[in-house]
Amino acid sequence: MNLVKSKVVLLPCREYDEEKIYMLLKQGLDFLGGVETLIPKDAKILLKPNLLKKAEVEKAVITHPTVVGMFARLMREKGYQDMALADSCGNGTTSKVIHGTGMDMYLEKLDIPAIDYTTGIHVDYPKGIQAKEFILPKELLEKDCVISLCKMKTHALERITGAVKNSYGFVYGFHKAKGHTLYPSADSFARMLVDLNQYVKPRLYI
C-alpha cells in the first residue's frame, strides 16, 4: 500500500489581526509551494468554513471571519475569480449564520457569494471502508474543488473538530443528524469522516 503523506504547515498567531493573519496565510501557502500549484486559476472553488450555527464570534463556534476574509482576499489577489462560500449548517443556512459576524462584509467586499444548499444528491462510494454512500449538496458537486476553512474546537464524540471533521458539513441537511445514528461510536464516525474526505478530496485545509 503506497501511502502519500500530506504537507502540513504550522504557524503561530496569537490574535485575530487582519494583516498578521494575511501575512501568515501567505507565508503558509508559500511553504506549500504556492496556491497555484494546488488549484488551477480557472477552477470553480467552494470555500467551506465551519458554520455550525448562529453564534457570536467570541464563542469560537464558527470559523473566525477574519481568517475567511483574509484567505479570500489572498485568493482574489492571486487572480482566482470563480469562488463561492457555503456550509451545510447544523442550525440555519449559510447566509443566516454568517449575517452580522463580519464574514458577510468580507464576502460582499470581495464579491464572493454565500450560497445556501438547495438539493441533496445521492452518491455511491464503493471504495469506502465505513460509508459506501453519501447525500451531498448539488451545489458542492458542481464545483471543481473545495478549500476547507476549519475551526479547531472541542467535539462531544471525536474530542476535537479540525480539518477532517469540518468535512462533515459536506453532508446535506438532516442527513447530518442521521449520520450520528448510523455511526454512533467515535471509531465508526471517524472512519466515515475519512471516507467522506477521500470522496470529496478537498485541495487544501486552512
Side-chain angles (χ1 to χ4, degrees), residues 18-19 25-26 33 43 47 62-63 75 89 91 99 134 162-163 176-177 196 199-200:
E18 284 189 354
E19 292 307 314
L25 287 170
K26 190 174 185 300
L47 302 177
I62 65 173
T63 303
M75 292 294 284
C89 309
N91 188 353
H99 180 69
F134 298 103
K176 288 177 66 179
L196 180 57
Y199 182 84
V200 178

Side-chain angles (χ1 to χ4, degrees), residues 77-189:
E77 291 175 355
K78 292 288 185 180
Y80 289 90
Q81 297 298 319
D82 195 340
M83 292 187 288
L85 178 141
D87 189 18
S88 182
C89 309
N91 188 353
T93 62
T94 297
S95 56
K96 288 182 179 179
V97 171
I98 69 171
H99 180 69
T101 63
M103 196 182 300
D104 49 346
M105 301 301 292
Y106 284 121
L107 296 180
E108 183 179 346
K109 181 178 179 180
L110 294 165
D111 193 26
I112 297 174
I115 59 176
D116 297 329
Y117 292 144
T118 60
T119 306
I121 304 293
H122 176 272
V123 297
D124 290 315
Y125 187 49
K127 293 194 297 183
I129 302 301
Q130 181 73 53
K132 303 291 186 181
E133 60 183 4
F134 298 103
I135 307 295
L136 302 180
K138 172 179 69 72
E139 292 81 1
L140 165 69
L141 298 172
E142 290 171 347
K143 300 298 182 182
D144 297 321
C145 70
V146 173
I147 297 174
S148 182
L149 300 165
C150 320
K151 180 69 180 178
M152 180 65 76
K153 58 182 182 176
T154 57
H155 186 258
L157 186 62
E158 298 298 341
R159 298 190 180 180
I160 63 166
T161 287
V164 174
K165 172 61 175 60
N166 192 44
S167 293
Y168 198 50
F170 296 141
V171 176
Y172 180 75
F174 71 88
H175 296 281
K176 288 177 66 179
K178 184 179 177 182
H180 285 286
T181 302
L182 293 172
Y183 314 107
S185 70
D187 286 345
S188 63
F189 196 79

Side-chain angles (χ1 to χ4, degrees), residues 2-41:
N2 186 21
L3 295 177
V4 179
K5 293 184 178 180
S6 298
K7 292 181 179 180
V8 178
V9 176
L10 294 175
L11 297 170
C13 187
R14 295 184 179 276
E15 56 187 315
Y16 287 106
D17 175 81
E18 284 189 354
E19 292 307 314
K20 287 183 180 178
I21 289 175
Y22 173 82
M23 293 305 298
L24 287 170
L25 287 170
K26 190 174 185 300
Q27 184 181 358
L29 290 170
D30 287 343
F31 281 139
L32 293 175
V35 70
E36 299 92 339
T37 64
L38 302 171
I39 302 166
K41 284 287 179 68

